[in-house]
Amino acid sequence: MFWTIFQSLCEEKGIRPHAVLKELNISSGSASHWKTGTIPNGEILRKISDYFDISIEQLMYGDEISIRPSVKKREQMFKTMYATPQRWASLRRGDVVEVETILNIMKYVNCSLHFLNSISVTEYAPEKEYDEKILSNNEILFDILDIMDACADSDAFRDLQIQLSRIVLYHLGKKGYNEQKLSDTKHFENAKLHFLFSGNPNRDKTKNYGLNFSDLATIRHLTGLSYQYMFTGIEKTTG
């Protein structure tokens, strides 16, 4: 039990067990005894518990390890907690999108108006003709990102986010990022992904939404693909 917990703590800290022993001036041969179930003496337990910033009881029994992070992780956690209210305060309601904006978006993402308005249509199919000159109008892309960043306050707005998300998933698929590969990254809600790909709603209605801006930013980080590519399938702007 002790050895298993010790190994897990080392993995969380990103350091090899023998490196910890060396740093704490503990005999490297101790590890072989611990692997067979031997528990270190009190002095060694104290050194190791101090090193990982946990109690000796946690080190031996592991009953609270998952809920007591290291000092560094606690600091990161508190910073996130302090920042969260500011993020909530900055969120905007998404209710009505002007018709002119919808028409511009329709041209930019190369889809039909029927597709944008119909979440029952789960498979995106690009229109045959596309004028790439529209890509030079960055304001349309900014409008799309604004829509994806807002909290849907109407069914129509939610449907628009869903269909725009399906366009993103279509273009990601062209790069080999299918549902399974995106799910395997552990960065996305699997139930939401399945809903977007299949059209089958979840019992938990909070999972029946499109990708949000944080999802898009994560995709950009993971894949290196631009926001323009996500919505158009074209990698660079033409003049």
Side-chain angles (χ1 to χ4, degrees):
M1 183 68 171
F2 168 80
W3 175 249
T4 301
I5 295 171
F6 179 69
Q7 275 189 311
S8 297
L9 289 167
C10 291
E11 290 176 1
E12 289 180 12
K13 200 173 181 67
I15 189 171
R16 296 174 63 85
H18 284 287
V20 175
L21 298 182
K22 184 177 181 180
E23 188 172 341
L24 297 179
N25 293 318
I26 299 172
S27 171
S28 59
S30 299
S32 60
H33 296 293
W34 298 346
K35 291 177 183 178
T36 63
T38 300
I39 297 176
N41 62 40
E43 179 62 19
I44 291 178
L45 286 174
R46 184 190 61 76
K47 283 185 177 181
I48 297 174
S49 64
D50 287 346
Y51 180 83
F52 290 110
D53 190 34
I54 62 174
S55 68
I56 291 178
E57 289 75 17
Q58 290 172 301
L59 181 59
M60 292 180 63
Y61 304 112
D63 55 345
E64 297 179 19
I65 288 177
S66 63
I67 62 173
R68 179 168 176 170
S70 65
V71 172
K72 183 177 180 180
K73 288 187 176 180
R74 285 204 299 270
E75 290 175 352
Q76 293 173 337
M77 179 179 67
F78 288 134
K79 287 179 180 178
T80 300
M81 290 172 62
Y82 292 143
T84 297
Q86 299 305 317
R87 173 58 179 153
W88 277 103
S90 69
L91 292 175
R92 298 168 296 101
R93 291 175 57 243
D95 188 0
V96 177
V97 180
E98 295 181 0
V99 174
E100 182 180 355
T101 301
I102 291 288
L103 294 176
N104 285 335
I105 290 174
M106 179 186 72
K107 294 176 183 177
Y108 188 89
V109 300
N110 195 21
C111 75
S112 66
L113 187 58
H114 173 68
F115 176 83
L116 279 186
N117 292 330
S118 307
I119 63 169
S120 60
V121 183
T122 60
E123 295 186 11
Y124 163 71
E127 298 291 283
K128 293 182 179 180
E129 296 182 5
Y130 185 62
D131 184 359
E132 294 189 12
K133 290 181 181 179
I134 196 171
L135 297 177
S136 62
N137 188 347
N138 290 325
E139 290 300 319
I140 303 176
L141 179 58
F142 295 153
D143 285 338
I144 294 173
L145 295 177
D146 281 346
I147 289 170
M148 304 305 285
D149 192 43
C151 294
D153 201 32
S154 69
D155 289 340
F157 198 94
R158 180 184 73 101
D159 292 354
L160 178 58
Q161 288 179 328
I162 289 171
Q163 295 306 87
L164 288 171
S165 299
R166 285 172 171 159
I167 292 174
V168 171
L169 296 177
Y170 171 87
H171 293 305
L172 288 178
K174 294 293 185 181
K175 295 291 186 179
Y177 291 92
N178 56 20
E179 180 180 355
Q180 186 61 54
K181 188 169 183 177
L182 289 172
S183 177
D184 288 344
T185 67
K186 308 298 183 184
H187 287 286
F188 306 98
E189 172 62 57
N190 289 344
K192 182 167 74 171
L193 279 179
H194 186 66
F195 163 69
L196 290 173
F197 275 102
S198 69
N200 297 324
N202 298 288
R203 289 186 178 181
D204 183 351
K205 294 182 179 180
T206 63
K207 308 293 176 60
N208 300 331
Y209 280 82
L211 301 172
N212 54 49
F213 183 75
S214 294
D215 293 328
L216 298 178
T218 298
I219 290 170
R220 182 169 176 264
H221 175 74
L222 289 173
T223 67
L225 298 171
S226 68
Y227 295 126
Q228 177 186 286
Y229 176 83
M230 292 181 207
F231 291 101
T232 67
I234 299 173
E235 306 223 28
K236 64 180 181 179
T237 303
T238 57

